[in-house]
Amino acid sequence: MMTMLNAGKMFLISVFLVCVSVNCCSGMGKVFFLPLADTSVRPLSAGKDSVFFAELFKNNPGKFDSIGLHRIGWNVQVIYTQIIVGNNTAPAFQQYYYNKNDSRYFYPASAINLPVAALALQKLNELNLPFVNINATMVTEAGYAGQTAQYNDPNTADGRPSIAHYIKEMLMVGDENAFNRLYEFLGQEYINKELNKKGYFSAQVLNRMGVDLDDDANRRTNPVRFYAGPREILYNQPMQVNIAKYEQRNDFIGKGYYADTSFINEPMNFSSKNRISLDDLNNILISLVFPEKVKSTQRFNITEADRRFLLKYMSQFPRESIYPSYDSSYNDAYGKYILFGAQDSIAPNIRIFNQVGSAYGQLTDIAYVVDFEKKIAFMVAATIYCNSDEILDDDKYDYDTIGFPFMKALGRALYDYELKRKRINLPDLSPMIFHYDK
């Protein structure tokens, strides 16, 4: 069984949720110490809003007033993970929550790309077939109503579609077609079964993105073939059909929505759409950045090279990509909501290892922020619903006036806090330096 290699070398402060917890002296959060390297992921109760966020918002007047007033209606949820390095390099996390509620549904959109990309690499490792790897030609056939085929990819050097290329497109720009192809390679049953086995019980990945298919069609995933050359088939996977039953949900959003050109005067039903909690998304990110600090059963079964491949393309700017190539409309802050609001320029000393989601008025970002010059590193996961009129699919969302300004202000406030926070020991961030494509 292939597992992640020694990630302890990558960061002296790597930590995770563990079985020993104590309230910090200020009553502002919880500190989690690590007596063992192999520790279990344990969900935490959000409880009352942390005093930490009350102070953070107070110290940034005018930037979070609306958030406080509309935190329920806008479904604002935040998890901030402060990383503390001990004198003997024994690390700890201190986590603060704002309005976190795992039972309150939000649509994750492309934020679900991260676990699906990791599972695609895991499945390749489990197949363990000669030459069936991330760079092998992967052809997708159509075998059922609503399915589409893909035989080539014009945005690759030689026109060949592959797992590697799809992952790059997913992580850098949230490409929906790339997600769909990996969803079809994995199959609905495999995705949900594996996430459940790893303890991410909130996850239900039930549908493709950007295409309107019913439950039956989403349960059936395309035939897939891997080729070594034009005719040499390395692996042939027939259409998969998922017959597993999942818990019945009651997830509705908004007051009305448009179906094509017709207005439906009732909340939109998301009960058969993808779901995952902010906590689980945050923990998945931690499991990839700090795999040594979670149980082996909670890690993705991928190699160290696979893990670094994911981290590289989570942090690479679109302009640094050769294949796929992107024009100037994809600025450096594209897909970097936390700290930069998807618009500002990014200083060369900062890298953000993240995945975002944006759809139906919901903005989500799960990010590991690193400043190599200032020796700062912290994690933040945040989501906000930006749809004042409560009408969905009308293309009138408040991303620019509510969502992006909130994400930017939140990131800046936490970054400034980290700058001023007294730290006895600094992290070694050199393992997070990558050589990007250009």
Side-chain angles (χ1 to χ4, degrees):
M1 181 176 181
M2 303 174 73
T3 57
M4 294 185 175
L5 303 181
N6 184 10
K9 297 179 181 178
M10 68 168 289
F11 197 8
L12 293 178
I13 62 174
S14 54
V15 291
F16 196 60
L17 308 180
V18 297
C19 45
V20 177
S21 68
V22 296
N23 291 328
C24 67
C25 58
S26 64
M28 295 167 63
K30 291 185 177 180
V31 180
F32 301 91
F33 298 101
L34 289 167
L36 298 173
D38 193 21
T39 58
S40 61
V41 180
R42 299 199 176 191
L44 300 176
S45 173
K48 295 181 180 179
D49 284 349
S50 172
V51 175
F52 173 86
F53 279 103
E55 290 296 318
L56 186 76
F57 293 170
K58 179 182 177 181
N59 293 333
N60 291 269
K63 294 183 179 180
F64 300 101
D65 295 351
S66 295
I67 300 301
L69 291 173
H70 300 284
R71 64 178 190 167
I72 303 300
W74 292 354
N75 195 15
V76 184
Q77 300 184 46
V78 183
I79 305 171
Y80 160 53
T81 304
Q82 184 182 108
I83 305 170
I84 304 167
V85 186
N87 291 328
N88 61 349
T89 71
F93 269 178
Q94 186 161 300
Q95 289 192 313
Y96 301 102
Y97 302 97
Y98 181 77
N99 204 39
K100 187 177 78 71
N101 185 344
D102 289 348
S103 65
R104 185 123 192 241
Y105 178 80
F106 68 91
Y107 182 65
S110 294
I112 204 73
N113 285 351
L114 187 57
V116 169
L119 286 174
L121 298 177
Q122 173 177 294
K123 183 170 179 177
L124 284 177
N125 288 333
E126 291 171 347
L127 287 173
N128 194 27
L129 296 171
F131 308 111
V132 178
N133 55 47
I134 62 172
N135 295 308
T137 303
M138 188 180 87
V139 168
T140 305
E141 301 282 358
Y144 195 70
Q147 293 184 0
T148 60
Q150 183 153 353
Y151 301 107
N152 56 62
D153 191 332
N155 208 4
T156 63
D158 53 12
R160 296 184 305 108
S162 67
I163 296 281
H165 195 75
Y166 288 139
I167 289 177
K168 292 176 186 180
E169 292 176 313
M170 288 165 64
L171 297 184
M172 283 191 290
V173 300
D175 188 275
E176 290 182 336
N177 177 69
F179 168 86
N180 293 343
R181 297 315 179 188
L182 294 195
Y183 174 92
E184 292 155 358
F185 164 62
L186 292 167
Q188 189 188 80
E189 182 178 9
Y190 180 88
I191 295 171
N192 290 284
K193 182 179 179 180
E194 288 301 312
L195 291 177
N196 187 270
K197 280 171 58 178
K198 297 178 194 309
Y200 305 117
F201 299 115
S202 72
Q204 280 191 6
V205 183
L206 302 178
N207 55 269
R208 298 167 177 85
M209 294 187 197
V211 290
D212 188 16
L213 299 176
D214 61 19
D215 177 67
D216 176 65
N218 276 313
R219 285 175 173 272
R220 299 172 186 267
T221 47
N222 306 40
V224 173
R225 293 189 181 94
F226 286 82
Y227 287 85
R231 293 184 177 85
E232 184 183 352
I233 298 177
L234 297 171
Y235 173 62
N236 182 27
Q237 177 178 282
M239 182 175 70
Q240 301 173 84
V241 183
N242 182 20
I243 62 172
K245 294 183 179 180
Y246 300 108
E247 66 169 305
Q248 295 297 307
R249 290 160 45 193
N250 189 33
D251 297 322
F252 291 85
I253 296 179
K255 296 178 179 178
Y257 64 96
Y258 282 89
D260 296 323
T261 58
S262 301
F263 178 68
I264 312 299
N265 192 23
E266 60 185 39
M268 180 181 280
N269 190 351
F270 282 76
S271 301
S272 61
K273 293 186 182 295
N274 296 336
R275 180 192 72 181
I276 191 168
S277 70
L278 193 67
D279 223 11
D280 279 349
L281 282 172
N282 189 55
N283 291 340
I284 286 169
L285 175 63
I286 293 175
S287 77
L288 292 169
V289 178
F290 307 119
E292 289 287 317
K293 300 305 177 183
V294 302
K295 273 187 173 181
S296 59
T297 55
Q298 294 166 321
R299 302 174 200 154
F300 293 92
N301 181 21
I302 60 179
T303 66
E304 175 66 2
D306 291 336
R307 187 182 70 86
R308 291 189 62 78
F309 180 84
L310 292 173
L311 292 175
K312 174 180 176 178
Y313 289 103
M314 287 164 61
S315 59
Q316 177 168 289
F317 301 133
R319 67 172 170 83
E320 295 174 320
S321 177
I322 300 174
Y323 293 104
S325 61
Y326 300 103
D327 61 31
S328 58
S329 65
Y330 293 92
N331 60 63
D332 286 357
Y334 183 90
K336 307 298 179 187
Y337 302 164
I338 292 292
L339 203 64
F340 298 102
Q343 296 172 341
D344 281 2
S345 59
I346 299 179
N349 52 297
I350 293 178
R351 283 285 170 173
I352 300 179
F353 302 80
N354 75 315
Q355 188 63 198
V356 300
S358 171
Y360 297 110
Q362 192 81 38
L363 280 184
T364 302
D365 196 353
I366 300 92
Y368 175 50
V369 180
V370 171
D371 185 327
F372 296 101
E373 181 182 296
K374 302 291 196 306
K375 297 293 183 181
I376 288 174
F378 64 95
M379 284 188 169
V380 57
T383 190
I384 183 171
Y385 180 58
C386 328
N387 189 20
S388 297
D389 65 8
E390 290 284 346
I391 306 301
L392 290 87
D393 271 348
D394 62 351
D395 293 326
K396 296 178 182 178
Y397 299 125
D398 305 311
Y399 295 134
D400 292 332
T401 55
I402 294 175
F404 291 137
F406 164 68
M407 292 286 188
K408 178 180 176 179
L410 176 66
R412 292 292 172 89
L414 291 172
Y415 178 86
D416 290 343
Y417 175 80
E418 286 280 345
L419 272 177
K420 299 171 185 176
R421 181 171 69 86
K422 183 179 180 180
R423 295 173 293 163
I424 299 173
N425 301 292
L426 299 178
D428 174 17
L429 298 174
S430 60
M432 301 307 295
I433 298 173
F434 287 82
H435 297 289
Y436 296 103
D437 292 349
K438 69 176 181 181

